[in-house]
Amino acid sequence: MNTSFKQNKIAGVVAALLLGLNLATAAPVKEGDAFPDLSKFGLEGTLPDTKGKIVLVDFFASWCGPCKESFPAMNDLQKKYGEKGFVIIAINLDKKKSDMDDFVKAHPANFVIVRDGENKLVKEVKIATMPSSFVLDKDGKVRAAHHGFKGEESVKKYNEEIESLLK
Amino acid sequence: MKTKHFLCLLALVAAGLLSGCQHVSPWERGALADPTMRVDADPDGKMLAEHMWFSREAASGGRGVGGGGCGCN
């Protein structure tokens, strides 16, 4: 075996390893993508029927400050559009269930809350910030992605997006 | 000899790629977001520490308060 062949072989193995690492880190979910099927990630809690509905999927955790601010706003959205075919699914990412329970007790919600305790779903979606939320159309396609909660600015965008999808 | 150099270089590149900083995903930052991780988590304690520092070292500032020990403010 000559030197050059050896080097090529080693370089090939390194390239394959790097390619493997690259493939292992798939791209995050973005606007236009089909959102992963929530029923396939072993989420704790009962998922609502989302067939033919506009869905807001929100990722939150008890330690996240803006998540606390987003809950009253999401309560308002659920109340305003709930009967028109809109549903919010909040996905908790706390490691301890008790942390989620304490959070929900302090910040009551009129929408569905499920738990992704093993972080399987969030690893698939690869959110960039906490909180992150996705507005899905009736076909489960991501029509808008929100990174963080920015008070009135976010609420205005949610309203616009939901109203245009409910038309 | 050439192969040896090549392998050394590869080992260095691999060490750089496979070790180093660990990326913490946004959803794993619960511990980092804990209030006790703040530099100013205990304002009273910080104030006392500053006072002791000033008394013992005859110097103040440099830790988030005005002045750098020059005595000009």
mmCIF file of all heavy atoms in Angstrom, chain A residues 3 7 10 14 18 21 63 93 119 122-123 126-130, chain B residues 2-3 6-7 10 13 17-18 26-31 33-34:
data_model
loop_
_atom_site.group_PDB
_atom_site.id
_atom_site.type_symbol
_atom_site.label_atom_id
_atom_site.label_comp_id
_atom_site.label_asym_id
_atom_site.label_seq_id
_atom_site.Cartn_x
_atom_site.Cartn_y
_atom_site.Cartn_z
ATOM 1 N N THR A 3 1.929 5.399 0.076
ATOM 2 C CA THR A 3 1.585 6.488 1.001
ATOM 3 C C THR A 3 0.354 7.262 0.553
ATOM 4 O O THR A 3 -0.541 7.540 1.349
ATOM 5 C CB THR A 3 2.782 7.457 1.090
ATOM 6 O OG1 THR A 3 3.936 6.693 1.322
ATOM 7 C CG2 THR A 3 2.600 8.454 2.214
ATOM 8 N N GLN A 7 -3.191 7.862 2.490
ATOM 9 C CA GLN A 7 -3.688 9.199 2.820
ATOM 10 C C GLN A 7 -5.107 9.387 2.290
ATOM 11 O O GLN A 7 -5.980 9.917 2.979
ATOM 12 C CB GLN A 7 -2.774 10.273 2.221
ATOM 13 C CG GLN A 7 -1.494 10.426 3.005
ATOM 14 C CD GLN A 7 -0.585 11.486 2.428
ATOM 15 O OE1 GLN A 7 -0.900 12.081 1.403
ATOM 16 N NE2 GLN A 7 0.537 11.692 3.065
ATOM 17 N N ILE A 10 -7.529 7.498 4.520
ATOM 18 C CA ILE A 10 -7.780 8.191 5.794
ATOM 19 C C ILE A 10 -8.654 9.415 5.562
ATOM 20 O O ILE A 10 -9.624 9.653 6.292
ATOM 21 C CB ILE A 10 -6.447 8.596 6.472
ATOM 22 C CG1 ILE A 10 -5.682 7.340 6.874
ATOM 23 C CG2 ILE A 10 -6.705 9.445 7.712
ATOM 24 C CD1 ILE A 10 -4.239 7.578 7.233
ATOM 25 N N VAL A 14 -12.351 10.309 7.198
ATOM 26 C CA VAL A 14 -12.634 11.577 7.887
ATOM 27 C C VAL A 14 -13.797 12.294 7.207
ATOM 28 O O VAL A 14 -14.721 12.782 7.871
ATOM 29 C CB VAL A 14 -11.375 12.482 7.919
ATOM 30 C CG1 VAL A 14 -11.719 13.868 8.450
ATOM 31 C CG2 VAL A 14 -10.301 11.854 8.786
ATOM 32 N N LEU A 18 -17.366 13.361 8.877
ATOM 33 C CA LEU A 18 -17.869 14.732 8.878
ATOM 34 C C LEU A 18 -19.219 14.821 8.186
ATOM 35 O O LEU A 18 -20.120 15.527 8.631
ATOM 36 C CB LEU A 18 -16.867 15.679 8.202
ATOM 37 C CG LEU A 18 -15.563 15.886 8.966
ATOM 38 C CD1 LEU A 18 -14.601 16.736 8.165
ATOM 39 C CD2 LEU A 18 -15.825 16.537 10.318
ATOM 40 N N LEU A 21 -21.783 13.539 10.539
ATOM 41 C CA LEU A 21 -22.116 14.546 11.559
ATOM 42 C C LEU A 21 -23.069 15.575 10.978
ATOM 43 O O LEU A 21 -24.022 15.997 11.598
ATOM 44 C CB LEU A 21 -20.843 15.258 12.025
ATOM 45 C CG LEU A 21 -19.959 14.512 13.022
ATOM 46 C CD1 LEU A 21 -18.677 15.302 13.255
ATOM 47 C CD2 LEU A 21 -20.688 14.307 14.334
ATOM 48 N N TRP A 63 -38.936 27.976 33.153
ATOM 49 C CA TRP A 63 -37.830 28.895 33.467
ATOM 50 C C TRP A 63 -37.705 30.046 32.466
ATOM 51 O O TRP A 63 -36.832 30.894 32.602
ATOM 52 C CB TRP A 63 -36.511 28.113 33.528
ATOM 53 C CG TRP A 63 -36.308 27.161 32.383
ATOM 54 C CD1 TRP A 63 -36.573 25.830 32.381
ATOM 55 C CD2 TRP A 63 -35.800 27.472 31.075
ATOM 56 N NE1 TRP A 63 -36.269 25.288 31.151
ATOM 57 C CE2 TRP A 63 -35.792 26.273 30.335
ATOM 58 C CE3 TRP A 63 -35.349 28.636 30.454
ATOM 59 C CZ2 TRP A 63 -35.355 26.211 29.010
ATOM 60 C CZ3 TRP A 63 -34.915 28.577 29.139
ATOM 61 C CH2 TRP A 63 -34.925 27.368 28.443
ATOM 62 N N LEU A 93 -41.358 21.899 27.839
ATOM 63 C CA LEU A 93 -40.045 21.262 27.652
ATOM 64 C C LEU A 93 -39.270 21.122 28.963
ATOM 65 O O LEU A 93 -38.063 20.887 28.952
ATOM 66 C CB LEU A 93 -39.220 22.079 26.647
ATOM 67 C CG LEU A 93 -39.861 22.248 25.272
ATOM 68 C CD1 LEU A 93 -39.080 23.252 24.438
ATOM 69 C CD2 LEU A 93 -39.951 20.931 24.538
ATOM 70 N N ASN A 119 -37.864 15.561 25.092
ATOM 71 C CA ASN A 119 -37.383 16.524 24.070
ATOM 72 C C ASN A 119 -37.246 15.917 22.678
ATOM 73 O O ASN A 119 -36.436 16.390 21.875
ATOM 74 C CB ASN A 119 -36.045 17.143 24.498
ATOM 75 C CG ASN A 119 -36.170 18.023 25.730
ATOM 76 O OD1 ASN A 119 -35.183 18.387 26.317
ATOM 77 N ND2 ASN A 119 -37.383 18.365 26.121
ATOM 78 N N VAL A 122 -38.896 18.501 20.082
ATOM 79 C CA VAL A 122 -38.138 19.755 19.926
ATOM 80 C C VAL A 122 -36.804 19.515 19.215
ATOM 81 O O VAL A 122 -36.309 20.377 18.487
ATOM 82 C CB VAL A 122 -37.961 20.461 21.293
ATOM 83 C CG1 VAL A 122 -36.896 19.808 22.142
ATOM 84 C CG2 VAL A 122 -37.648 21.925 21.091
ATOM 85 N N LYS A 123 -36.260 18.321 19.387
ATOM 86 C CA LYS A 123 -35.009 18.005 18.677
ATOM 87 C C LYS A 123 -35.265 17.862 17.180
ATOM 88 O O LYS A 123 -34.378 18.082 16.362
ATOM 89 C CB LYS A 123 -34.405 16.708 19.240
ATOM 90 C CG LYS A 123 -33.640 16.948 20.526
ATOM 91 C CD LYS A 123 -33.114 15.659 21.102
ATOM 92 C CE LYS A 123 -32.551 15.912 22.484
ATOM 93 N NZ LYS A 123 -32.350 14.686 23.235
ATOM 94 N N LYS A 126 -36.156 21.659 16.186
ATOM 95 C CA LYS A 126 -34.944 22.490 16.374
ATOM 96 C C LYS A 126 -35.258 23.976 16.481
ATOM 97 O O LYS A 126 -34.861 24.777 15.612
ATOM 98 C CB LYS A 126 -33.949 22.254 15.244
ATOM 99 C CG LYS A 126 -33.288 20.924 15.291
ATOM 100 C CD LYS A 126 -32.193 20.822 14.258
ATOM 101 C CE LYS A 126 -31.490 19.500 14.349
ATOM 102 N NZ LYS A 126 -32.351 18.377 14.038
ATOM 103 N N ILE A 127 -35.973 24.320 17.527
ATOM 104 C CA ILE A 127 -36.310 25.728 17.716
ATOM 105 C C ILE A 127 -35.038 26.523 18.020
ATOM 106 O O ILE A 127 -34.085 25.994 18.586
ATOM 107 C CB ILE A 127 -37.354 25.913 18.843
ATOM 108 C CG1 ILE A 127 -36.841 25.344 20.174
ATOM 109 C CG2 ILE A 127 -38.670 25.269 18.464
ATOM 110 C CD1 ILE A 127 -37.699 25.712 21.345
ATOM 111 N N ALA A 128 -35.069 27.807 17.635
ATOM 112 C CA ALA A 128 -33.866 28.636 17.795
ATOM 113 C C ALA A 128 -33.876 29.428 19.092
ATOM 114 O O ALA A 128 -32.822 29.820 19.588
ATOM 115 C CB ALA A 128 -33.755 29.588 16.609
ATOM 116 N N THR A 129 -35.070 29.678 19.636
ATOM 117 C CA THR A 129 -35.175 30.464 20.870
ATOM 118 C C THR A 129 -36.290 29.903 21.741
ATOM 119 O O THR A 129 -37.103 29.098 21.285
ATOM 120 C CB THR A 129 -35.540 31.938 20.557
ATOM 121 O OG1 THR A 129 -36.738 31.931 19.781
ATOM 122 C CG2 THR A 129 -34.459 32.652 19.794
ATOM 123 N N MET A 130 -36.333 30.387 22.964
ATOM 124 C CA MET A 130 -37.446 30.061 23.857
ATOM 125 C C MET A 130 -38.160 31.367 24.185
ATOM 126 O O MET A 130 -37.489 32.312 24.620
ATOM 127 C CB MET A 130 -36.932 29.417 25.146
ATOM 128 C CG MET A 130 -36.496 27.996 24.962
ATOM 129 S SD MET A 130 -37.861 26.874 24.639
ATOM 130 C CE MET A 130 -38.666 26.838 26.219
ATOM 131 N N LYS B 2 6.171 11.435 5.768
ATOM 132 C CA LYS B 2 5.097 12.282 5.245
ATOM 133 C C LYS B 2 3.747 11.858 5.850
ATOM 134 O O LYS B 2 2.931 12.691 6.239
ATOM 135 C CB LYS B 2 5.065 12.146 3.730
ATOM 136 C CG LYS B 2 4.671 13.420 3.008
ATOM 137 C CD LYS B 2 4.754 13.212 1.525
ATOM 138 C CE LYS B 2 4.109 14.358 0.787
ATOM 139 N NZ LYS B 2 4.059 14.106 -0.648
ATOM 140 N N THR B 3 3.559 10.525 5.912
ATOM 141 C CA THR B 3 2.321 9.982 6.466
ATOM 142 C C THR B 3 2.182 10.372 7.931
ATOM 143 O O THR B 3 1.088 10.685 8.406
ATOM 144 C CB THR B 3 2.309 8.439 6.355
ATOM 145 O OG1 THR B 3 2.696 8.099 5.053
ATOM 146 C CG2 THR B 3 0.964 7.869 6.675
ATOM 147 N N PHE B 6 1.025 13.847 8.195
ATOM 148 C CA PHE B 6 -0.374 13.903 7.755
ATOM 149 C C PHE B 6 -1.299 13.434 8.886
ATOM 150 O O PHE B 6 -2.321 14.045 9.181
ATOM 151 C CB PHE B 6 -0.543 13.036 6.505
ATOM 152 C CG PHE B 6 -1.933 13.056 5.947
ATOM 153 C CD1 PHE B 6 -2.443 14.196 5.334
ATOM 154 C CD2 PHE B 6 -2.746 11.929 6.040
ATOM 155 C CE1 PHE B 6 -3.728 14.211 4.822
ATOM 156 C CE2 PHE B 6 -4.027 11.947 5.527
ATOM 157 C CZ PHE B 6 -4.516 13.086 4.921
ATOM 158 N N LEU B 7 -0.873 12.341 9.538
ATOM 159 C CA LEU B 7 -1.681 11.794 10.637
ATOM 160 C C LEU B 7 -1.732 12.757 11.822
ATOM 161 O O LEU B 7 -2.777 12.912 12.460
ATOM 162 C CB LEU B 7 -1.123 10.442 11.086
ATOM 163 C CG LEU B 7 -1.431 9.266 10.162
ATOM 164 C CD1 LEU B 7 -0.699 8.016 10.628
ATOM 165 C CD2 LEU B 7 -2.942 8.992 10.106
ATOM 166 N N LEU B 10 -4.139 15.427 10.932
ATOM 167 C CA LEU B 10 -5.503 14.893 11.027
ATOM 168 C C LEU B 10 -5.948 14.804 12.484
ATOM 169 O O LEU B 10 -7.075 15.154 12.820
ATOM 170 C CB LEU B 10 -5.558 13.498 10.406
ATOM 171 C CG LEU B 10 -5.982 13.414 8.961
ATOM 172 C CD1 LEU B 10 -6.038 11.961 8.532
ATOM 173 C CD2 LEU B 10 -7.354 14.054 8.758
ATOM 174 N N VAL B 13 -6.820 18.238 13.709
ATOM 175 C CA VAL B 13 -8.108 18.681 13.150
ATOM 176 C C VAL B 13 -9.255 17.960 13.855
ATOM 177 O O VAL B 13 -10.244 18.574 14.264
ATOM 178 C CB VAL B 13 -8.153 18.447 11.621
ATOM 179 C CG1 VAL B 13 -9.545 18.699 11.073
ATOM 180 C CG2 VAL B 13 -7.153 19.351 10.912
ATOM 181 N N LEU B 17 -12.293 19.406 16.087
ATOM 182 C CA LEU B 17 -13.695 19.237 15.685
ATOM 183 C C LEU B 17 -14.516 18.470 16.715
ATOM 184 O O LEU B 17 -15.685 18.749 16.921
ATOM 185 C CB LEU B 17 -13.770 18.493 14.344
ATOM 186 C CG LEU B 17 -13.392 19.296 13.102
ATOM 187 C CD1 LEU B 17 -13.265 18.365 11.911
ATOM 188 C CD2 LEU B 17 -14.434 20.358 12.816
ATOM 189 N N LEU B 18 -13.884 17.479 17.329
ATOM 190 C CA LEU B 18 -14.648 16.589 18.202
ATOM 191 C C LEU B 18 -14.677 17.022 19.667
ATOM 192 O O LEU B 18 -15.381 16.451 20.471
ATOM 193 C CB LEU B 18 -14.116 15.148 18.084
ATOM 194 C CG LEU B 18 -14.172 14.572 16.668
ATOM 195 C CD1 LEU B 18 -13.491 13.216 16.605
ATOM 196 C CD2 LEU B 18 -15.613 14.440 16.197
ATOM 197 N N PRO B 26 -31.418 25.775 22.914
ATOM 198 C CA PRO B 26 -32.275 26.727 23.623
ATOM 199 C C PRO B 26 -33.165 26.075 24.680
ATOM 200 O O PRO B 26 -33.423 26.662 25.719
ATOM 201 C CB PRO B 26 -33.133 27.337 22.513
ATOM 202 C CG PRO B 26 -32.341 27.171 21.289
ATOM 203 C CD PRO B 26 -31.552 25.904 21.467
ATOM 204 N N TRP B 27 -33.628 24.848 24.419
ATOM 205 C CA TRP B 27 -34.538 24.190 25.350
ATOM 206 C C TRP B 27 -33.787 23.527 26.518
ATOM 207 O O TRP B 27 -34.399 22.940 27.399
ATOM 208 C CB TRP B 27 -35.406 23.164 24.622
ATOM 209 C CG TRP B 27 -34.639 22.124 23.873
ATOM 210 C CD1 TRP B 27 -34.235 20.912 24.357
ATOM 211 C CD2 TRP B 27 -34.182 22.194 22.519
ATOM 212 N NE1 TRP B 27 -33.544 20.233 23.382
ATOM 213 C CE2 TRP B 27 -33.501 20.985 22.249
ATOM 214 C CE3 TRP B 27 -34.284 23.150 21.510
ATOM 215 C CZ2 TRP B 27 -32.927 20.722 21.005
ATOM 216 C CZ3 TRP B 27 -33.704 22.882 20.285
ATOM 217 C CH2 TRP B 27 -33.042 21.695 20.036
ATOM 218 N N GLU B 28 -32.462 23.605 26.509
ATOM 219 C CA GLU B 28 -31.685 22.990 27.592
ATOM 220 C C GLU B 28 -31.060 24.048 28.509
ATOM 221 O O GLU B 28 -30.117 23.761 29.226
ATOM 222 C CB GLU B 28 -30.562 22.137 26.996
ATOM 223 C CG GLU B 28 -31.056 20.942 26.235
ATOM 224 C CD GLU B 28 -29.954 20.226 25.466
ATOM 225 O OE1 GLU B 28 -28.988 20.891 25.039
ATOM 226 O OE2 GLU B 28 -30.062 19.016 25.295
ATOM 227 N N ARG B 29 -31.584 25.273 28.412
ATOM 228 C CA ARG B 29 -30.945 26.361 29.148
ATOM 229 C C ARG B 29 -31.630 26.684 30.465
ATOM 230 O O ARG B 29 -31.486 27.791 30.985
ATOM 231 C CB ARG B 29 -30.863 27.609 28.256
ATOM 232 C CG ARG B 29 -29.911 27.355 27.108
ATOM 233 C CD ARG B 29 -29.790 28.503 26.160
ATOM 234 N NE ARG B 29 -29.058 28.057 24.982
ATOM 235 C CZ ARG B 29 -29.002 28.690 23.841
ATOM 236 N NH1 ARG B 29 -29.646 29.823 23.694
ATOM 237 N NH2 ARG B 29 -28.314 28.209 22.819
ATOM 238 N N GLY B 30 -32.373 25.704 30.983
ATOM 239 C CA GLY B 30 -33.080 25.903 32.253
ATOM 240 C C GLY B 30 -32.124 26.268 33.375
ATOM 241 O O GLY B 30 -32.359 27.212 34.131
ATOM 242 N N ALA B 31 -31.012 25.533 33.486
ATOM 243 C CA ALA B 31 -30.056 25.786 34.564
ATOM 244 C C ALA B 31 -29.374 27.140 34.364
ATOM 245 O O ALA B 31 -29.155 27.882 35.316
ATOM 246 C CB ALA B 31 -29.019 24.668 34.615
ATOM 247 N N ALA B 33 -30.656 29.673 32.919
ATOM 248 C CA ALA B 33 -31.632 30.749 33.110
ATOM 249 C C ALA B 33 -32.003 30.940 34.580
ATOM 250 O O ALA B 33 -32.752 31.845 34.913
ATOM 251 C CB ALA B 33 -32.897 30.454 32.298
ATOM 252 N N ASP B 34 -31.454 30.093 35.440
ATOM 253 C CA ASP B 34 -31.790 30.186 36.857
ATOM 254 C C ASP B 34 -31.318 31.536 37.422
ATOM 255 O O ASP B 34 -30.210 31.982 37.104
ATOM 256 C CB ASP B 34 -31.112 29.046 37.619
ATOM 257 C CG ASP B 34 -31.668 28.899 39.012
ATOM 258 O OD1 ASP B 34 -31.267 29.679 39.900
ATOM 259 O OD2 ASP B 34 -32.516 28.024 39.210
#
